[in-house]
Amino acid sequence: MGIRSRYEQLGLEAVPGHLKTTKASDYIRIQAAVAVNAGNFLVPALAVLEGGLSFYAAVLCTMAGAAFAFFFVSLLALPGAKYGLPAQYVIRTMIGTKGSKYLASPVRSITSLYWFGVQTVGGTYILKELLERGFGLEVPFVLLSLPLALIMAYLAVVGFEAIKKVSRFALPVMAAAAVIMLGLFFTGTYDGLSASEAVADSGNWSLPVMVLFASLAFVQYVSGAGTSSDMARYAKSSRQAVTGIYAGNVLGFFITAVLGAFTAAVAGEWNPFVASTRLTESPLLIGAVAAAAFSSMIIINLNNAYTGGFSLLNTFPALGRIRSAVMFGAAGVVVSCFPVIVNDADRFISMLGTVVIPLTAVFIADFLFVKRGRLTPEQLSDRVHTSFNRTGGWAALSGVFVYLAVPDIFSPSFVSFFFTMAVYVIINRMNTDRKKVKVCA
């Protein structure tokens, strides 16, 4: 088998029809596997731990917010499914070639690279603890993080087929581990209460708090709209991509929300991988949970590296897909060897969000409400892309200011997202009406 057949070659060009064979069932499996990871347990768990919500209220509100976000994410997969193009190339039609190459793509590359590092570092700490407790193995941090990062970087170079194959292994492993973790929780006692009694005794149904955590779940996932076309370009049809991506995301987040909120309600912790294994001394059960933690880290970071490579390629098209994936992977490996990157994760992620959220709002508003979900061949031609969509730039900038001005208690990212969308749509309609008046005159 030659190199060309082993590694995905297609970069910014459209995927030919004979390669578009991915079904909705494939996307359900991929997206569900991607959604179940340690980082995604946090918001449902915090809804219980800091928001004071009951288990059921936490699951309900975060599910509602995430499902709303996934609606936009799945619809923004349409350009990839219909035209076979990667997300960052499609975004040229939304904010212009220069806006996409020198603003959106660098921001996405940095975001994906940072998340690659955070997920690897966090996953390494989890695996390190599980190996020590389950098997008495004390492995130095770098000796775990380095090979893990190398594996994920290599798989991203292989491309979309690697994501499909890894998900076939990862999802069953994680589903089995979810059953094991819940089973372990139900065997424990918590301040004299059983797990079911602890859940029944947990929290409240405060509507303002539920709205807040629904908005936090929404903004955590809606930025995925900026990369969903990367995953959808090999889809058999637009319907297969949209339904599969939506259903897979919802299924995966439901598992995540239940595990995260349940762990918080019964054990007072946010990470079920770690909390559940403290309830057993069985190497077999700890090993099964460790395998799930390993699988979840591999699939989420494979997704980060794959989409991050396309963002880098959009900025530097001469690299080609293979070299851009190799360069992104190499940077990810280096970042993953420095656990210090997680120390200021909250501040750095918030800083990225001030730009990512308004930009995502512009992408969604432009494609769904201005272009009404359709792109013409002229719009997709690189020869006619506008240099920079100034309306989109001003709308995104206004969203940044709103993000910085709104107090944290009112979920500034959520407010910024819908404010930016509204500004962009209103300005575009005003410009359209102005042009009609000129034509009539």
Side-chain angles (χ1 to χ4, degrees):
M1 184 182 291
I3 289 178
R4 284 187 173 273
S5 59
R6 286 203 305 267
Y7 303 104
E8 181 180 345
Q9 300 291 318
L10 295 170
L12 300 181
E13 64 271 34
V15 172
H18 70 278
L19 294 178
K20 301 178 76 172
T21 59
T22 306
K23 300 177 182 178
S25 58
D26 295 315
Y27 284 114
I28 291 172
R29 185 181 63 249
I30 291 169
Q31 297 304 128
V34 167
V36 183
N37 66 80
N40 289 349
F41 294 132
L42 195 56
V43 171
L46 289 179
V48 174
L49 296 174
E50 295 189 3
L53 295 177
S54 70
F55 163 75
Y56 299 104
V59 172
L60 179 62
C61 70
T62 56
M63 272 297 302
F68 189 27
F70 295 144
F71 172 75
F72 290 118
V73 170
S74 59
L75 289 180
L76 264 289
L78 279 170
K82 188 172 183 179
Y83 308 108
L85 294 167
Q88 294 299 317
Y89 186 88
V90 172
I91 286 171
R92 295 183 184 191
T93 69
M94 302 170 186
I95 59 171
T97 300
K98 288 185 177 180
S100 173
K101 292 175 69 173
Y102 306 122
L103 176 59
S105 286
V107 169
R108 173 53 61 181
S109 295
I110 292 170
T111 303
S112 296
L113 181 63
Y114 187 74
W115 275 113
F116 184 98
V118 168
Q119 291 282 1
T120 304
V121 169
T124 300
Y125 276 129
I126 292 172
L127 287 174
K128 184 175 168 61
E129 179 175 343
L130 296 181
L131 288 172
E132 289 175 3
R133 194 162 61 248
F135 305 96
L137 299 175
E138 294 189 11
V139 184
F141 180 89
V142 174
L143 292 185
L144 269 180
S145 67
L146 182 59
L148 289 174
L150 285 169
I151 290 170
M152 294 180 284
Y154 171 76
L155 291 173
V157 174
V158 174
F160 184 68
E161 280 301 313
I163 297 177
K164 290 173 69 174
K165 290 177 180 178
V166 170
S167 69
R168 291 191 189 106
F169 165 80
L171 188 58
V173 170
M174 288 188 281
V179 173
I180 291 171
M181 287 187 284
L182 288 173
L184 288 172
F185 282 127
F186 275 107
T187 64
T189 56
Y190 310 91
D191 294 328
L193 300 176
S194 67
S196 57
E197 290 171 335
V199 166
D201 192 52
S202 68
N204 57 65
W205 286 77
S206 169
L207 184 59
V209 177
M210 290 179 69
V211 171
L212 174 62
F213 279 93
S215 70
L216 292 177
F218 174 84
V219 297
Q220 180 178 359
Y221 292 102
V222 75
S223 62
T227 61
S228 53
S229 278
D230 292 337
M231 306 300 294
R233 62 198 299 234
Y234 287 92
K236 196 170 184 178
S237 69
S238 297
R239 178 177 293 182
Q240 299 264 3
V242 171
T243 57
I245 288 174
Y246 185 79
N249 276 324
V250 170
L251 172 62
F253 185 78
F254 176 73
I255 297 171
T256 300
V258 168
L259 284 172
F262 192 86
T263 303
V266 301
E269 298 185 42
W270 68 270
N271 192 328
F273 291 137
V274 174
S276 64
T277 54
R278 290 176 181 156
L279 301 172
T280 181
E281 298 297 326
S282 168
L284 180 62
L285 296 180
I286 293 175
V289 175
F294 172 78
S295 300
S296 71
M297 177 178 58
I298 292 291
I299 192 70
I300 183 62
N301 263 354
L302 178 49
N303 180 73
N304 284 330
Y306 182 70
T307 57
F310 277 116
S311 297
L312 184 64
L313 176 62
N314 187 55
T315 301
F316 304 104
L319 287 175
R321 201 205 77 85
I322 299 295
R323 280 184 289 180
S324 66
V326 169
M327 289 180 66
F328 184 92
V333 170
V334 172
V335 170
S336 300
C337 292
F338 296 95
V340 70
I341 66 167
V342 302
N343 291 348
D344 293 318
D346 291 346
R347 184 171 60 85
F348 191 78
I349 291 167
S350 177
M351 183 172 63
L352 285 173
T354 62
V355 180
V356 171
I357 293 300
L359 279 176
T360 303
V362 170
F363 305 156
I364 293 172
D366 184 84
F367 181 67
L368 295 182
F369 302 115
V370 176
K371 293 186 172 69
R372 300 184 184 278
R374 294 181 178 85
L375 298 174
T376 66
E378 291 75 19
Q379 290 170 333
L380 290 167
S381 171
D382 195 40
R383 294 189 300 274
V384 299
H385 285 165
T386 57
S387 178
F388 185 75
N389 179 353
R390 293 183 180 180
T391 300
W394 284 115
L397 184 61
S398 69
V400 170
F401 285 126
V402 168
Y403 190 109
L404 296 173
V406 174
D408 289 345
I409 194 173
F410 296 115
S411 186
S413 50
F414 187 78
V415 174
S416 170
F417 178 84
F418 286 101
F419 177 84
T420 304
M421 282 186 67
V423 168
Y424 185 76
V425 171
I426 290 170
I427 293 176
N428 268 281
R429 288 183 178 174
M430 289 173 60
N431 290 339
T432 301
D433 291 342
R434 193 178 298 116
K435 289 177 182 177
K436 287 181 180 178
V437 170
K438 287 184 179 179
V439 170
C440 292

